[in-house]
Amino acid sequence: MSITLYDLVGSNSEIKFSPFCWRARMALLHKGVDFTSEPWRFLEKDAIAESGHQAVPVINDSGTWVGDSWQIAKYLDEKYPEKPLFKGAEGEAHAQLVDALCNTQIFPAAVAMAIYPVSQILDEENQAYFVETREAKLGAKLSEINAEPEEGKANLAKALIPFETMLNNSQFVGGDEPTYADYLLFGIIKWIDLVAGYRPIDDSSAVGQWFVRLENMYGGNGANAPKVAQS
């Protein structure tokens, strides 16, 4: 039996936009295990109730439920040790550092580019839920947070400087080949790329070239993912 990945979608079930689900998706692709993607929306909590989680990503591996993108990656390394995502304690520590950088530097810039566009691709009921919960968490109207494209791209590029510096000398965040550290950052940028309606990074930059490399891996899964039409 293949693994089922519960994957966040909007009114168009083809656009799978969650940064955390993309982390899980890339981890599954990295492992080369068979999996299917099950579209899931914010209010469909009953569909994953057995997992003990109320949000995705969640996987069901022949009756074993695992939620949270980091825990999914850990589970995959334990259950399917071929092609490790973390490569030992040092690799996990490296990924934790990248995760901290993503949380403190990259996500704030990404939210301003992606959070309002996400609200615009949801059906009416899920949109109401999303707007209410996110505005309460952020303390502002989503429309007020929404960055203009050039401003958003400039702020993101500034936040990405540590990665730009590193990727000038390395093919991947993980070194010569991708590790889970790569997918932590990739998921955030892919989130913006899918919903914003414009390319969030310069493909000719070191980060841009890295992003394109990852998009085209695993049969072009990232490159071919349906997205909001770009202007």
Side-chain angles (χ1 to χ4, degrees):
M1 294 178 65
S2 71
I3 297 170
T4 300
L5 168 65
Y6 288 81
D7 216 340
L8 185 62
V9 299
S11 56
N12 179 352
S13 62
E14 295 299 312
I15 299 179
K16 301 175 175 69
F17 59 84
S18 164
F20 303 103
C21 290
W22 269 96
R23 292 173 175 184
R25 172 180 290 273
M26 295 297 283
L28 288 161
L29 291 166
H30 178 107
K31 286 291 183 180
V33 296
D34 290 333
F35 74 97
T36 58
S37 178
E38 180 70 23
W40 184 90
R41 295 173 177 85
F42 291 106
L43 296 178
E44 296 174 344
K45 300 185 187 301
D46 287 349
I48 58 170
E50 192 174 347
S51 73
H53 293 266
Q54 294 192 332
V56 294
V58 165
I59 63 169
N60 183 355
D61 184 6
S62 301
T64 299
W65 291 85
V66 187
D68 179 84
S69 52
W70 185 279
Q71 293 305 318
I72 289 170
K74 292 279 288 179
Y75 168 82
L76 292 174
D77 262 2
E78 292 169 6
K79 182 71 179 291
Y80 306 98
E82 295 283 330
K83 302 178 183 176
L85 289 158
F86 289 106
K87 296 186 177 179
E90 295 86 353
E92 187 169 351
H94 176 240
Q96 287 174 333
L97 176 59
V98 171
D99 194 32
L101 276 171
C102 287
N103 289 336
T104 58
Q105 305 298 317
I106 312 304
F107 257 118
V111 164
M113 303 169 76
I115 197 82
Y116 177 76
V118 166
S119 73
Q120 300 304 293
I121 62 172
L122 306 176
D123 63 82
E124 186 175 349
E125 287 186 334
N126 282 278
Q127 183 186 62
Y129 168 83
F130 181 81
V131 170
E132 179 182 356
T133 55
R134 272 51 180 184
E135 288 185 347
K137 183 176 181 178
L138 295 168
K141 296 288 186 183
L142 300 190
S143 58
E144 296 171 354
I145 297 170
N146 190 38
E148 293 296 325
E150 292 309 312
E151 176 191 8
K153 288 190 285 187
N155 289 338
L156 180 62
K158 183 177 180 180
L160 285 167
I161 286 173
F163 292 103
E164 181 73 15
T165 301
M166 180 181 63
L167 289 166
N168 268 311
N169 300 294
S170 179
Q171 285 286 294
F172 297 99
V173 177
D176 293 335
E177 57 187 11
T179 65
Y180 192 62
D182 287 88
Y183 307 141
L184 290 167
L185 179 60
F186 180 86
I188 303 173
I189 300 175
K190 195 62 188 173
W191 175 40
I192 312 167
D193 184 59
L194 291 168
V195 303
Y198 56 87
R199 191 69 157 174
I201 53 175
D202 178 359
D203 283 1
S204 67
S205 67
V207 169
Q209 292 174 49
W210 160 86
F211 187 71
V212 170
R213 280 195 292 276
L214 281 177
E215 279 192 312
N216 286 300
M217 291 183 73
Y218 314 125
N221 194 280
N224 297 322
K227 62 176 73 176
V228 172
Q230 294 190 352
S231 57

